[in-house]
Amino acid sequence: MQQREFDHTGYLKTLTTRPGVYRMLNVEGKVLYVGKAKNLKKRVSSYFTRSLNRRIQSMVGQIANIEVIVTHTEAEALLLENHLIKSLKPKYNVLLRDDKSYPYIYLSTDHTYPALSFRRGARRGKGRYFGPYPSAASTRETLQVLQKIFPVRQCEESFFRNRSRACLQYQIKRCSGPCVGLTSAEAYAEDVQHAVLFLEGKTSQVIDELVTLMECASQQLDFEQAAIYRDQIKHLRRIHERQYVSGEGGDLDIVALAKQGGSVCIQVFYIRAGRNLGNKSFYPSAPRDATEETILQAFVSQYYLEKPVPNEIIINQQLAEQGLLQEVLSRQADHRVRISSRVRGERARWLKMAQGNAEMALQARLSAQAGMEERLQALQQALQLPAIPERMECFDISHTRGESTVASCVVFNEQGPLKSDYRRFNIEGITPGDDYAAMAQALERRYRRVKKGEVALPDILLIDGGKGQIGAVHDRLQDLGISGLTLLGVAKGVERKAGMEQLFLLGRRAPIILPADSPALHLIQQIRDEAHRFAITAHRQRRSKTRNRSVLEQIPGIGPKRRQRLMKQFGGLQELSRAGIEDIASVEGVSTALAEQIYHAFHDKG
């Protein structure tokens, strides 16, 4: 379709001076840019009456039509602009690739024994929500900390209702066992109350109450209970020291931007009730010549509109429309919201730290493995996940006809393989060749550590197999009290060729089949193949070690020292197997009778 020059002169004559939103469209009707204005005629005219940079000139040259929506106020225009940018994703706007939802900690208050759990998305259901937290990892870390201090259950309701005996969480002192009546409703309510106060940032109040309870228990000579209170106080004081932000008692976010070339990183630190909940990095898509102020203005609009807003937002750039943003956010939040850029003292130190973190995160991103972000985004879309996964684990089993069974666990994050978190498990006490039992043992050993807070819980758990395998894994995780992750089975296609894999999600009947050139499929294949490689390597090492030593280890009277002497004397098992009884008996510490046993172990076929 031939581009016809847009008659801006005639169009501007009819344009209103009222506030509103304008959309610039090309000849195909695709939106190039969305903007808002206090005076539509004045703002749109500026694109045709002033000197423009090359990027804006290029955009203006593609305009075939301009559509406007008139609003009552500039504040209404800002809200509408934000909605249209998120839904239309125009090429020339700054775009925030934002998660669909943010994690919260949920307390099911409509229950005699309330549960704490990880929640995303709309805040439905009776109960209390604490957050939002910067990431799934920080939310789960807080839940693990709470379990260590206050043994409030974190299991699903179906799991809770069907218990006949206490689960693993009770055994490792992460739950008080309300499901089978091992605690009273009063004692449980006390733990819930203290957990809530902790989540509200009232750690000092919790400590004061626990000190009183500890003193009462000591006076009643209940020293065991007093020791429990003492340990809770000790843990809380450590957390309070680590998370407390000096001089702050409310909710605020610290936002800093770093820009290098066409790449941008925005770092957000979350302070809630005076506690530092952690930070998160954002990488908005911005035109190369966009200023830092323009990008930060777009970020604050797109990020905070239509979600909970803290009392204060500290930023590292003064914004032209700072007052308008404060007005709109205050109205949305139903409380006063202040945006500050000129701060002193402790706040200036925190802002400087956020700036440094943004710069380091941007450098790490620029040097990270190419294409990882694209693959993760594609995976999120393919599996319809609420957010881009931050941590993925994959298990695989390797053995030779049931011999020397080894399970592997590999871990990937936003940068790719996280080899420091790889683990291998030597499987014992199962029927040789029973892969289900091997997987169950590996999962229990791995996720016991997760429940203890020693290892982070993944967002996605990949299993080599189909419906049967993920069903068995789900049952095992239920027994362990693990929930809140996505189970993905990766099964080979009909011809067992790469690129024809079938993906199975728990609860979904039909498999997902991705195109062979899909970045999401490439990431899944990479993770699965890495788990397979790691499992095979571990199995071969174990099998080699077993075969080299099993003959000698099975002979009574040969310990590590004698075995070491024999191996050194003969240079290995192969040469030892060729030796006669007299030669073997010549080794220090080996009698003639023992030498005969060694000789017959190699030569008797039984």
Side-chain angles (χ1 to χ4, degrees), residues 105-106 113-118 139-157 159-160 167 169 174-176 178 188 195 450-451 457 480-484:
I105 290 177
Y106 171 70
Y113 296 102
L116 288 166
S117 61
F118 175 99
T139 315
R140 287 173 177 140
E141 181 184 0
T142 302
L143 283 168
Q144 288 172 347
V145 167
L146 280 168
Q147 265 196 322
K148 289 180 180 178
I149 304 172
F150 309 114
V152 176
R153 71 182 182 93
Q154 296 186 13
C155 57
E156 295 178 1
E157 189 60 28
F159 185 78
F160 176 81
C167 69
Q169 298 309 297
R174 297 291 186 269
C175 180
S176 54
Y188 191 86
V450 169
K451 295 304 293 186
L457 186 69
L480 294 169
I482 298 287
S483 61

Side-chain angles (χ1 to χ4, degrees), residues 21-312:
V21 173
Y22 57 93
R23 289 174 290 178
M24 295 177 169
L25 293 81
N26 64 13
V27 69
E28 297 171 347
K30 188 174 182 180
V31 178
L32 299 169
Y33 185 81
V34 173
K36 67 112 184 87
K38 186 176 182 180
N39 182 323
L40 279 168
K41 187 168 187 173
K42 184 177 180 181
R43 182 71 184 95
V44 175
S45 297
S46 68
Y47 288 94
F48 304 97
T49 57
R50 64 184 174 92
S51 177
L52 305 171
N53 61 42
R54 284 188 178 183
R55 179 180 64 86
I56 301 299
Q57 284 178 353
S58 173
M59 182 190 74
V60 170
Q62 299 174 56
I63 295 173
N65 190 20
I66 299 177
E67 295 177 348
V68 300
I69 302 174
V70 178
T71 60
H72 290 95
T73 65
E74 189 182 8
E76 285 183 19
L78 179 64
L79 290 167
L80 181 57
E81 177 198 37
N82 172 65
H83 174 73
L84 290 173
I85 289 172
K86 286 183 175 179
S87 59
L88 298 173
K89 296 180 172 55
K91 178 180 178 181
Y92 288 92
N93 281 95
V94 174
L95 300 176
L96 173 62
R97 296 190 187 101
D98 202 3
D99 289 341
K100 294 179 183 176
S101 58
Y102 293 84
Y104 288 82
I105 290 177
Y106 171 70
L107 178 69
S108 56
T109 53
D110 60 338
H111 198 289
T112 307
Y113 296 102
L116 288 166
S117 61
F118 175 99
R119 284 288 177 91
R120 277 193 188 273
R123 294 187 285 174
R124 300 190 186 95
K126 295 179 181 179
R128 291 196 60 183
Y129 291 81
F130 301 90
Y133 284 77
S135 66
S138 62
T139 315
R140 287 173 177 140
E141 181 184 0
T142 302
L143 283 168
Q144 288 172 347
V145 167
L146 280 168
Q147 265 196 322
K148 289 180 180 178
I149 304 172
F150 309 114
V152 176
R153 71 182 182 93
Q154 296 186 13
C155 57
E156 295 178 1
E157 189 60 28
S158 58
F159 185 78
F160 176 81
R161 285 198 308 265
N162 297 309
R163 297 303 299 175
S164 58
R165 57 185 177 84
C167 69
L168 172 67
Q169 298 309 297
Y170 176 78
Q171 296 170 23
I172 62 174
K173 299 181 180 179
R174 297 291 186 269
C175 180
S176 54
C179 56
V180 288
L182 296 175
T183 185
S184 67
E186 294 77 15
Y188 191 86
E190 182 182 279
D191 282 329
V192 170
Q193 180 195 359
H194 289 150
V196 167
L197 288 171
F198 172 81
L199 289 168
E200 290 176 339
K202 299 173 182 176
T203 310
S204 297
Q205 183 179 333
V206 182
I207 291 173
D208 291 343
E209 288 186 14
L210 290 173
V211 167
T212 302
L213 290 169
M214 180 180 68
E215 290 173 349
C216 289
S218 297
Q219 289 171 5
Q220 295 170 11
L221 305 182
D222 188 354
F223 299 117
E224 185 177 346
Q225 185 60 47
I228 293 172
Y229 290 135
R230 179 202 61 203
D231 292 341
Q232 288 177 325
I233 293 165
K234 180 175 65 176
H235 286 306
L236 281 170
R237 280 185 172 144
R238 286 177 183 170
I239 293 164
H240 189 61
E241 288 169 4
R242 187 175 75 243
Q243 293 188 328
Y244 180 66
V245 181
S246 177
E248 299 298 343
D251 296 348
L252 70 104
D253 285 354
I254 301 164
V255 183
L257 178 147
K259 186 172 184 284
Q260 182 175 328
S263 299
V264 179
C265 174
I266 294 177
Q267 190 89 184
V268 182
F269 275 76
Y270 303 80
I271 312 299
R272 295 295 180 270
R275 290 171 53 234
N276 177 16
L277 297 187
N279 62 318
K280 186 170 184 176
S281 298
F282 297 87
Y283 303 93
S285 173
R288 192 174 186 86
D289 58 354
T291 64
E292 293 186 5
E293 180 192 333
T294 301
I295 297 168
L296 192 58
Q297 171 98 21
F299 173 82
V300 172
S301 298
Q302 293 180 42
Y303 181 68
Y304 287 104
L305 289 175
E306 302 174 3
K307 67 163 60 71
V309 188
N311 298 325
E312 185 174 2

Side-chain angles (χ1 to χ4, degrees), residues 2 40 132 209 233 240 265 338 347 465 473 483 488 550 584:
Q2 189 173 359
L40 279 168
E209 288 186 14
I233 293 165
H240 189 61
C265 174
R338 185 172 60 188
R347 293 185 173 199
V473 168
S483 61
L488 178 64
S550 60
I584 299 172

Side-chain angles (χ1 to χ4, degrees), residues 326-350:
Q326 285 184 152
E327 175 193 339
V328 174
L329 292 176
S330 297
R331 191 181 306 162
Q332 171 190 300
D334 203 25
H335 62 73
R336 187 188 173 206
V337 175
R338 185 172 60 188
I339 300 176
S340 311
S341 57
R342 296 170 182 167
V343 290
R344 298 179 179 178
E346 192 72 14
R347 293 185 173 199
R349 186 179 70 82
W350 275 89

Side-chain angles (χ1 to χ4, degrees), residues 439-483:
M439 181 64 72
Q441 186 178 130
L443 288 168
E444 178 168 359
R445 290 165 63 182
R446 176 67 167 180
Y447 288 103
R448 273 180 179 267
R449 296 188 62 207
V450 169
K451 295 304 293 186
K452 290 179 180 178
E454 299 171 4
V455 181
L457 186 69
D459 297 301
I460 300 178
L461 174 56
L462 291 89
I463 300 296
D464 191 3
K467 286 184 180 179
Q469 282 84 352
I470 62 170
V473 168
H474 176 255
D475 292 343
R476 192 69 193 122
L477 293 178
Q478 284 280 296
D479 290 341
L480 294 169
I482 298 287
S483 61

